[in-house]
Amino acid sequence: MVCLGNICRSPLAEGIFRDKSNYRKLNIIVDSAGTSDFHVGATPDYRSIEVARKNNVGISNLTARKFTVTDFSHFDYIFVMDLNNYNELFKLTSDDAERKKIILLSEFLYPKQKIQVPDPYYGDEKDFETVYKLIEDSCEKIIEQLFL
Ligand code: 4NP
């Protein structure tokens, strides 16, 4: 799960996806990272922690890291929150196999529509709730279509 800072959107995606995977007893390694190093080592934004907590998802123990090219070999799928993240990762790829791994998080929920998970960093609680819902619905669809 990849966003810009790895403190707002991708930690939510990591926590939500891991919970759904565990609930269904699937054995999937889930992680998240940012395309920037702005917040490396930081815990998630308190607004993400709070909206997750309200939905019984714990993310307060996560810490931000920057995406590295080794992630292309460690993971089968790399879900990005928006098209900026997509383009940043695309620049780091070295072959088609890596390029094919990068998928917009909403792709299975809204095929071919290029719906982005908007950056809520400068927004308010309502924006975090909107983001949460889009991430949760997207993760549910990914599990159904790729892992069941
Ligand atoms: P994220 O949100 O990419 O969902 O973690 C952001 C966090 C920090 C910044 C931008 C977006 N920032 O500019 O510091």
Side-chain angles (χ1 to χ4, degrees):
M1 301 301 183
V2 175
C3 63
L4 175 62
N6 193 207
I7 55 166
C8 297
R9 294 165 291 177
S10 59
L12 282 175
E14 179 184 346
I16 290 168
F17 198 94
R18 181 175 293 118
D19 271 21
K20 287 184 181 296
S21 165
N22 288 344
Y23 178 74
R24 292 183 164 93
K25 303 212 167 14
L26 299 169
N27 195 11
I28 303 171
I29 294 169
V30 191
D31 197 4
S32 65
T35 57
S36 78
D37 61 5
F38 300 159
H39 299 275
V40 167
T43 50
D45 187 284
Y46 68 96
R47 296 163 296 179
S48 283
I49 292 176
E50 187 55 20
V51 71
R53 190 194 60 75
K54 282 188 195 159
N55 288 278
N56 296 311
V57 175
I59 62 165
S60 60
N61 61 332
L62 303 181
T63 52
R65 70 175 179 93
K66 188 178 183 202
F67 184 90
T68 73
V69 288
T70 56
D71 289 315
F72 285 123
S73 45
H74 291 157
F75 295 95
D76 297 323
Y77 301 97
I78 297 166
F79 293 102
V80 291
M81 301 299 125
D82 66 35
L83 294 172
N84 274 329
N85 312 148
Y86 188 97
N87 293 332
E88 287 306 311
L89 293 194
F90 204 86
K91 287 185 214 162
L92 301 176
T93 58
S94 40
D95 58 34
D96 278 346
E98 291 181 353
R99 287 187 268 280
K100 271 206 293 205
K101 290 186 177 187
I102 312 171
I103 303 172
L104 202 55
L105 187 79
S106 67
E107 186 60 32
F108 291 95
L109 183 64
Y110 299 118
K112 301 190 190 336
Q113 294 181 57
K114 304 265 183 281
I115 304 292
Q116 309 184 67
V117 180
D119 179 355
Y121 189 60
Y122 295 104
D124 58 20
E125 198 185 308
K126 178 102 183 357
D127 298 303
F128 279 77
E129 279 169 6
T130 306
V131 157
Y132 188 95
K133 176 87 170 75
L134 178 55
I135 292 175
E136 181 174 23
D137 293 348
S138 298
C139 287
E140 184 65 30
K141 207 70 177 176
I142 289 166
I143 296 221
E144 284 172 15
Q145 304 223 343
L146 292 181
F147 299 103
L148 294 187

